[in-house]
Amino acid sequence: MTVIYLDNNATTAVAPEVVEALMPYLTGEYFNPSSMYEAARGPADAVARSRRLIAKLLGHARATEILFTSCASESNNTAIFGTIAANPERRHIITTSVEHPAVYEVGKDLERRGIEVEFIPVDTQGRIDKTEFVRALRPDTLMVSVMHANNETGVIYPVEELSRITKETDPSIVFHTDATQTVGKLPIDLRGSFANVDLLSFSGHKLHAPKGIGALYIRRGTRCRPFLLGGHQEDGRRAGTENVAFIVGLARALELAMERLDADVPRITGMRDRLQTELMARIPYLEVNGGEAKRLDNTLNVACHFIEGEGILYQLSEHGICASSGSACTSGSLEPSHVLRAMNVPFTAVHGSVRFSLSHYTTDAEIDRVIEVFPEIVASLRRLSPYWDAAKNAPRPEALSMMEQTEMPQAGA
Ligand code: PLP
């Protein structure tokens, strides 16, 4: 069965051009870039070149401001724990209620360690409450961490504006953004619109580089204590022998993404919008999570009222279609995602949300196939759903009012 891969916010296929660029460093040029002999110069130069290229592609940043890590989770952990360790005098942090777990769980952990963490709420479309954000800034605020775009819904956050407000309030507050879903998909200008961002995280495997390589941009002068101690690699900011091949791959992947951006954005947006329009037309009681917000062009998260996302994914998978749901399997029970919870997605849809995420490699024929298969899957699952039974027999206003409740009604209620 051919695979239709529409889970690109989870990970992406490694681009052939990236494989080609990195392969020499997995074969002949395997030397440790820190070694003193001549043979090691090739890998050392490759790391230096890649660092310069990435810095340039992110808006002419300085090469020394790019720190290579193993993944975005490491970049986020380094950014937040590193800032706290370097600035112990301030103990208040602001983030949002929709961050990826690599920030959200760090926030929860910090709370247990006695740091005050404010999780700014979002509205039903996933948009941040700016008034709450401004109100949250305090004289003892150490840092702000707001993601650039959400991995589940694709909703884009106004990092330019929030970082400007933060610095106007107090230039010493450190501003971090998790840009894992946007690097390579949106232009990022660290000398222009992102000039107030101090720390920015991203990961290779979301932009057609391999898994196991990430980066953290650290603006010159930002105080951030190293997370991994040991050797002197990365200017003493992260111990461990550099992953030369994947660093080269990350730089090549970002270069490709930026070259393709102007052509990819309209093409991918067109396919995503067609998928959305056709599914909305064919499936009753379907909503787009974050549909009214500014969104990434490649992401469509649909709430299928009255059924379970896991069932949908299973049936999609039977057709070779890879997508993902908003639920995370925690300790044997299916917990709805904290992101959809924060958006107050009603109980009839919070378990029935499915995310399709497209890429450069997505084709029109693949989208056609999903448009053909998905409505039938939803209809067949609804035939088995007691909630659907109640809703479809109820007058429309009653069904709609069921769809507004965020908690499941108690039995007999
Ligand atoms: N942040 C965001 C927004 C993400 O989407 C992801 C991955 O899904 C991560 C962080 C973690 O990335 P990694 O797998 O590279 O640790």
Side-chain angles (χ1 to χ4, degrees), residues 23-78:
M23 211 38 122
Y25 301 95
L26 288 180
T27 50
E29 302 240 29
Y30 54 81
F31 312 101
N32 189 324
S34 300
S35 296
M36 295 305 288
Y37 35 80
E38 184 60 24
R41 183 168 301 172
D45 285 350
V47 170
R49 257 195 326 273
S50 303
R51 202 187 301 278
R52 282 198 299 274
L53 182 57
I54 291 170
K56 179 172 158 239
L57 293 170
L58 295 177
H60 299 280
R62 294 178 183 89
T64 50
E65 293 174 318
I66 302 293
L67 175 77
F68 291 116
T69 64
S70 64
C71 59
S73 298
E74 185 192 323
S75 301
N76 287 338
N77 274 259
T78 303

Side-chain angles (χ1 to χ4, degrees), residues 7 85 186 412:
D7 201 14
L186 294 177

Side-chain angles (χ1 to χ4, degrees), residues 145-220:
S145 180
V146 176
M147 69 192 333
H148 193 197
N150 185 268
N151 44 300
E152 291 188 32
T153 58
V155 171
I156 297 172
Y157 292 91
V159 164
E160 298 86 341
E161 187 185 355
L162 299 178
S163 57
R164 183 179 45 75
I165 294 171
T166 301
K167 293 292 178 180
E168 278 169 7
T169 308
D170 177 353
S172 70
I173 299 175
V174 177
F175 195 100
H176 168 245
T177 187
D178 175 359
T180 308
Q181 291 296 343
T182 54
V183 168
K185 292 186 198 142
L186 294 177
I188 287 178
D189 187 355
L190 286 160
R191 291 275 168 266
S193 55
F194 271 42
N196 289 310
V197 170
D198 301 304
L199 300 161
L200 180 141
S201 310
F202 62 102
S203 189
H205 71 108
K206 310 289 182 179
L207 59 132
H208 305 293
K211 295 158 198 61
I213 184 70
L216 175 64
Y217 164 81
I218 308 178
R219 190 174 292 280
R220 190 159 78 175

Side-chain angles (χ1 to χ4, degrees), residues 357-370:
S357 45
L358 288 59
S359 83
H360 172 77
Y361 297 108
T362 306
T363 64
D364 277 314
E366 290 176 330
I367 298 297
D368 288 342
R369 183 75 182 131
V370 179

Side-chain angles (χ1 to χ4, degrees), residues 73-108:
S73 298
E74 185 192 323
S75 301
N76 287 338
N77 274 259
T78 303
I80 301 173
F81 286 124
T83 301
I84 288 168
N87 303 277
E89 64 291 349
R90 290 196 187 184
R91 300 184 67 78
H92 177 244
I93 287 184
I94 299 169
T95 185
T96 78
S97 51
V98 293
E99 296 296 312
H100 184 274
V103 168
Y104 191 77
E105 290 302 326
V106 170
K108 293 284 170 198

